[in-house]
Amino acid sequence: MSSSERFGYEWDTYSFMDENYEKQFKNWTFPLSENDFKNKVILDASCGMGRNSYWPLKWGAKELVAFDVDERSVKRAKETLKEFKNADVVYKSIYDIDWKDRFDTAFSIGVIHHLKDPKKALQNIVTALKTDGTLLVWVYSYEGNEWIPKYVDPVRKNITSKLPVSIVHFLSYFCSIPLWLFVKIFRGPSGYLKQMSTFDFWHIHSIVFDQLIPDVANYWSKSDVEKLFSGLNLKEIVIKMPPNGSGWIINAKKK
Ligand SMILES: C[S@@+](CC[C@H](N)C(=O)[O-])C[C@H]1O[C@@H](n2cnc3c(N)ncnc32)[C@H](O)[C@@H]1O
């Protein structure tokens, strides 16, 4: 089973909209605000069950196209976005998208660090943007997450990414229950854990599960991200940590 099919299991299981997703989306797309999406033509690159597409549409996007390479995810995203007539969800690989100069804003959240050819994917997204269009990408950061490549990666790479996904879902309880208790008792204590302390158990369980299933999960340093985004048809590239201090947000404009 490929990583995208494994993610498909995740989005099929966790297909409900959680009230925390709005705050989470704002955190991942900082410093963009609701107004930045209003009346815009938007692309959500690799949308999963559509939880991120939902907010720009709610805030008045003119049109939104979301795509994913997993059929179950596409089906769930269609259900999530069914109330919006100006939303289109399509089955496509990020390596095969062929839109040109079509979108005012393109975002991709939690995707690029899972890809075998992240540069090619980024090139395709940039091509899909109009000149001066906005690109917003969120990826895992090495900074602040050093313990994950050290302790979680060997388990993910050698064991859990190879096990049947339903078994990994069950094994995730052995991490999610202690983690849930920890963040509830200590109210965080800080950074992303603080934000996590506001999540319900299932949200935390899905985050643990999400960490254990993919074949590829890169935790990039700021200089890795600078290298990845160099040589693309972009200007005004800003690389920042989100307010919760986890991940890199790359915000740029197409030249
Ligand atoms: C961690 S999930 C993030 C989904 C969504 N952006 C979110 O934040 O909820 C990564 C997504 O990338 C998708 N994906 C992986 N490889 C892809 C590819 N080659 N083309 C399109 N989507 C892909 C997976 O199917 C999965 O839905």
Side-chain angles (χ1 to χ4, degrees):
M1 210 185 222
S2 68
S3 280
S4 45
E5 285 171 303
R6 295 164 79 79
F7 280 126
Y9 178 101
E10 177 182 352
W11 300 129
D12 201 33
T13 309
Y14 297 96
S15 60
F16 46 86
M17 284 298 283
D18 183 305
E19 58 182 24
N20 285 297
Y21 286 165
E22 181 172 14
K23 194 169 169 208
Q24 188 171 257
F25 180 70
K26 286 185 173 171
N27 192 70
W28 283 332
T29 54
F30 181 83
L32 300 189
S33 63
E34 296 185 18
N35 265 336
D36 293 309
F37 294 96
K38 229 180 182 155
N39 297 319
K40 295 282 167 38
V41 180
I42 293 173
L43 177 67
D44 180 355
S46 303
C47 59
M49 51 68 91
R51 60 182 178 168
N52 297 319
S53 302
Y54 185 89
W55 306 107
L57 285 159
K58 194 162 175 250
W59 301 331
K62 185 173 171 193
E63 188 193 339
L64 181 141
V65 178
F67 71 87
D68 202 284
V69 79
D70 178 74
E71 271 167 19
R72 278 183 296 189
S73 302
V74 168
K75 183 168 170 264
R76 289 303 193 179
K78 282 185 176 167
E79 284 162 16
T80 305
L81 306 178
K82 64 177 184 289
E83 70 190 82
F84 303 104
K85 300 285 166 271
N86 51 344
D88 191 17
V89 185
V90 290
Y91 173 81
K92 258 184 197 294
S93 168
I94 204 161
Y95 299 123
D96 299 331
I97 56 171
D98 50 10
W99 294 291
K100 279 197 178 66
D101 306 321
R102 163 123 167 63
F103 298 97
D104 299 308
T105 302
F107 63 82
S108 187
I109 311 285
V111 175
I112 303 298
H113 48 236
H114 290 307
L115 298 175
K116 292 198 173 120
D117 191 348
K119 194 106 181 182
K120 171 85 184 134
L122 287 170
Q123 271 161 350
N124 286 354
I125 301 173
V126 174
T127 303
L129 275 173
K130 292 176 186 166
T131 303
D132 289 324
T134 301
L135 174 71
L136 200 297
V137 174
W138 181 87
V139 293
Y140 293 156
S141 61
Y142 178 75
E143 292 83 342
N145 291 315
E146 293 86 348
W147 63 278
I148 300 182
K150 202 166 173 188
Y151 300 111
V152 181
D153 263 22
V155 177
R156 176 186 59 74
K157 276 189 197 153
N158 300 313
I159 306 171
T160 55
S161 66
K162 296 182 166 53
L163 285 175
V165 69
S166 53
I167 292 181
V168 184
H169 193 218
F170 173 72
L171 292 177
S172 302
Y173 285 106
F174 292 95
C175 292
S176 57
I177 293 171
L179 178 61
W180 177 73
L181 287 170
F182 180 86
V183 297
K184 291 291 170 189
I185 292 167
F186 295 102
R187 306 222 160 269
S190 60
Y192 187 46
L193 291 178
K194 190 156 199 77
Q195 192 187 349
M196 235 188 224
S197 70
T198 63
F199 297 169
D200 70 15
F201 174 74
W202 293 110
H203 192 171
I204 291 177
H205 188 62
S206 71
I207 291 168
V208 170
F209 179 51
D210 184 275
Q211 286 291 324
L212 297 176
I213 50 178
D215 305 334
V216 179
N218 288 300
Y219 283 79
W220 282 315
S221 66
K222 192 170 188 187
S223 65
D224 293 333
V225 174
E226 280 163 356
K227 252 183 255 153
L228 182 62
F229 280 76
S230 68
L232 295 169
N233 191 24
L234 291 171
K235 59 185 179 185
E236 300 169 34
I237 302 175
V238 179
I239 303 169
K240 277 213 163 99
M241 284 229 163
N244 71 6
S246 182
W248 291 117
I249 296 172
I250 303 93
N251 187 2
K253 296 232 179 285
K254 183 174 174 178
K255 277 185 196 161

